[in-house]
Amino acid sequence: MATAASVTIFAIYESIKTVIHPDMSVITSHVITVIVAGILTFFVSRYALARYSAAISEIERQTGMTEEMNHLLSGVLETMQEGVLIVDSAMNILLYNNAATRIVKLAGASQKENGERANEQGDTSSPLHLFTSSPLHLFTSSPARKVRLVDATREPVIHAAFRRAIEERRQVEERVEMADRELRSYQLNVSPLGEGLAVGIFFDITRLERLERIRREFFANLSHELRTPLTAILACSETLLAGAMDDRENSGRFIERLHKHAARMSEMIADISDLSAIESGDVKLAPAPVKVSSAVGEVIALASARKGERLVTFQVSVPEDLCVLADPMRLEQILYNLIDNAIKFNRPDGTVRVKAESSDAEAIISVEDTGIGISSQDLPRVFERLYRADKSRSRRVEGSGLGLAIVKHLVQAHGGEVFATSELGQGSKLTFTLPLADASLLELHNGEKLIGISVDA
């Protein structure tokens, strides 16, 4: 356009020059023509350079925006815990992120670094082409360098999901189980992406399914635990209503059974309410220096009075000067639940050992019994609500089944840890830790009623 305008202006100039100065010499005419052509060339060149510079600036701006978007996309995919795969209609993987390498068999970060070093040394055989500092793995269009989906995974559900999404042009959702290192469950969402492409996102739902299983087991166990006392209460009440009230010999026995099972239900409901309050953070702790030996002595005295016909002996090994920073009432609740549990699941004439010692900045307190023990399969779940290891024997033992769950949450609320060890036929040992307290603070607390700091459980 600029060139055409220059030619037109030059032609007009020549015409005007010929009309106005027809007698101008050839040399003068050529000199003036050269000067005018130079001036026109100068302005046309400046105009062209300005347009070229503007075009270059726009290209650089667009390139910068593209790189910024690529880095943004890379950052998003890098922080995603979900695996991402982009697959074409030939079931070749075009792109994936690092999270996908933990789900299917694809090159991860270490392979990526090896490929980059090989490219720097002139080796172009690597099938990976990555953005700068990018977690994206993007393959070239060379058929020999494609990674097929079947090479990454042979799970038929994954293949069928991608194929249906591409062919039917609609979103597909499937549940997939992968058992490479450990069994994990994924929710796979595949959506069409452009012509002949589909993007799949793997959501790890292993923990959600485990929590759902625990919830179902909890309600199943709860209904069973409530059904037993309710059935006994109903049977006793019906017997009394049928005329046993007038039977002085047996009426007292039926009333005792009613009271016993009603008390069991009341204890279970109280434990459920207590556990719910602890888990939701509604329970306030008032940490204060507490002498462990005093707390253990009070709990053993209470447990001994309630142990009934269970003939067990206690062995206590607690330093007299050992103090912990804990809520006194909640510490006794922790100890009572552990000692009561050790009494219930002990052998006849068994032993309950309570031991405490200090280590660094914490106290280690353990309660050990000489019962039948817990199997290695059940041991990780002993702190779950209403979970019973030996169900045939546990059903005959009174209790809410929530004691150890309460212990776990209360110990964690104090900043400690709790764990269990056991050997079948030898007994079980439950240990928890609590922060140590200075013994001098105990005297100050007792003498001046030191107020503990209130924290959320």
Side-chain angles (χ1 to χ4, degrees):
M1 181 177 175
T3 303
S6 299
V7 171
T8 302
I9 292 172
F10 187 76
I12 293 173
Y13 157 75
E14 287 291 334
S15 300
I16 293 174
K17 184 185 72 168
T18 302
V19 171
I20 296 176
H21 302 285
D23 55 348
M24 184 182 293
S25 65
V26 175
I27 295 175
T28 303
S29 176
H30 282 319
V31 170
I32 295 173
T33 299
V34 170
I35 293 172
V36 172
I39 293 171
L40 288 173
T41 302
F42 172 75
F43 283 107
V44 169
S45 299
R46 282 182 61 86
Y47 175 77
L49 285 173
R51 291 292 300 274
Y52 179 76
S53 297
I56 292 296
S57 298
E58 179 64 19
I59 292 173
E60 290 178 348
R61 188 180 72 85
Q62 293 290 344
T63 302
M65 290 178 60
T66 302
E67 290 180 351
E68 184 178 353
M69 291 299 295
N70 285 340
H71 283 297
L72 181 61
L73 178 61
S74 300
V76 170
L77 290 177
E78 178 67 30
T79 57
M80 285 181 64
Q81 297 297 316
E82 297 79 19
V84 177
L85 291 180
I86 294 181
V87 176
D88 62 14
S89 57
M91 294 293 106
N92 294 317
I93 298 175
L94 303 183
L95 181 145
Y96 63 93
N97 66 347
N98 280 338
T101 64
R102 299 189 292 268
I103 303 171
V104 296
K105 296 178 182 178
L106 290 168
S110 59
Q111 291 92 332
K112 175 182 72 174
E113 293 171 0
N114 293 336
E116 289 174 348
R117 285 196 293 269
N119 287 336
E120 290 174 359
Q121 297 170 1
D123 183 3
T124 59
S125 61
S126 172
L128 296 177
H129 288 257
L130 312 178
F131 295 111
T132 304
S133 303
S134 170
L136 300 180
H137 303 252
L138 180 64
F139 289 90
T140 65
S141 58
S142 172
R145 296 181 176 183
K146 294 285 188 182
V147 171
R148 300 181 303 168
L149 183 60
V150 70
D151 295 329
T153 175
R154 298 185 181 275
E155 179 60 45
V157 176
I158 297 177
H159 289 261
F162 276 102
R163 198 172 298 281
R164 285 170 55 196
I166 294 174
E167 294 176 354
E168 301 176 12
R169 305 290 299 165
R170 65 179 181 87
Q171 184 174 346
V172 178
E173 295 184 1
E174 294 287 353
R175 179 185 176 278
V176 183
E177 286 189 352
M178 307 292 286
D180 184 15
R181 302 178 189 87
E182 59 176 332
L183 182 63
R184 303 197 69 84
S185 301
Y186 296 92
Q187 177 72 32
L188 173 60
N189 292 351
V190 185
S191 300
L193 183 70
E195 186 63 31
L197 297 175
V199 57
I201 303 178
F202 293 81
F203 297 92
D204 192 338
I205 58 173
T206 307
R207 184 170 180 271
L208 289 177
E209 289 190 343
R210 177 179 173 274
L211 292 175
E212 177 62 20
R213 187 189 72 249
I214 292 174
R215 186 189 68 84
R216 289 196 304 266
E217 291 180 355
F218 170 72
F219 284 110
N221 291 334
L222 179 61
S223 63
H224 183 91
E225 294 292 339
L226 290 175
R227 186 183 298 115
T228 301
L230 280 174
T231 302
I233 290 172
L234 185 62
C236 290
S237 60
E238 288 178 348
T239 304
L240 290 171
L241 290 173
M245 287 288 293
D246 299 328
D247 186 352
R248 293 188 177 182
E249 278 187 30
N250 296 316
S251 60
R253 182 166 54 88
F254 285 120
I255 292 173
E256 286 179 3
R257 291 188 63 186
L258 280 171
H259 179 268
K260 173 184 174 182
H261 289 290
R264 180 180 175 185
M265 289 185 61
S266 177
E267 180 184 356
M268 182 179 298
I269 293 170
D271 283 347
I272 292 174
S273 177
D274 203 8
L275 181 60
S276 177
I278 295 170
E279 289 180 335
S280 62
D282 293 338
V283 172
K284 303 292 183 180
L285 300 181
V290 182
K291 184 178 285 189
V292 178
S293 58
S294 299
V296 170
E298 293 180 7
V299 170
I300 288 179
L302 178 61
S304 299
R306 296 185 58 182
K307 68 181 180 180
E309 299 177 356
R310 295 182 179 88
L311 301 177
V312 297
T313 57
F314 294 97
Q315 294 180 1
V316 180
S317 175
V318 180
E320 189 65 26
D321 59 346
L322 182 63
C323 294
V324 295
L325 188 64
D327 185 306
M329 184 183 71
R330 296 300 178 179
L331 175 58
E332 290 185 5
Q333 185 178 7
I334 292 170
L335 289 169
Y336 181 81
N337 285 353
L338 292 178
I339 293 174
D340 185 59
N341 195 75
I343 294 172
K344 289 176 180 176
F345 293 97
N346 215 323
R347 298 179 184 275
D349 300 322
T351 302
V352 175
R353 302 183 183 92
V354 181
K355 182 180 179 182
E357 59 185 354
S358 60
S359 175
D360 297 329
E362 63 182 14
I364 303 174
I365 306 169
S366 63
V367 177
E368 185 177 2
D369 63 58
T370 55
I372 61 174
I374 306 169
S375 68
S376 57
Q377 292 85 359
D378 293 316
L379 199 59
R381 302 187 61 186
V382 294
F383 294 103
E384 293 181 8
R385 295 172 290 183
L386 293 174
Y387 185 79
R388 295 178 182 267
D390 184 2
K391 295 179 174 55
S392 61
R393 184 173 185 269
S394 298
R395 297 302 181 194
R396 300 193 299 268
V397 177
E398 298 177 8
S400 65
L402 298 170
L404 294 185
I406 293 174
V407 166
K408 174 186 174 182
H409 286 85
L410 284 178
V411 170
Q412 291 176 345
H414 282 85
E417 297 179 354
V418 60
F419 51 91
T421 57
S422 183
E423 185 178 348
L424 281 176
Q426 300 298 321
S428 305
K429 182 179 180 180
L430 287 90
T431 306
F432 67 97
T433 63
L434 289 176
L436 284 174
D438 192 343
S440 61
L441 292 178
L442 178 63
E443 298 177 1
L444 180 63
H445 174 75
N446 293 334
E448 301 181 9
K449 297 181 179 180
L450 180 66
I451 300 176
I453 302 172
S454 181
V455 297
D456 291 341

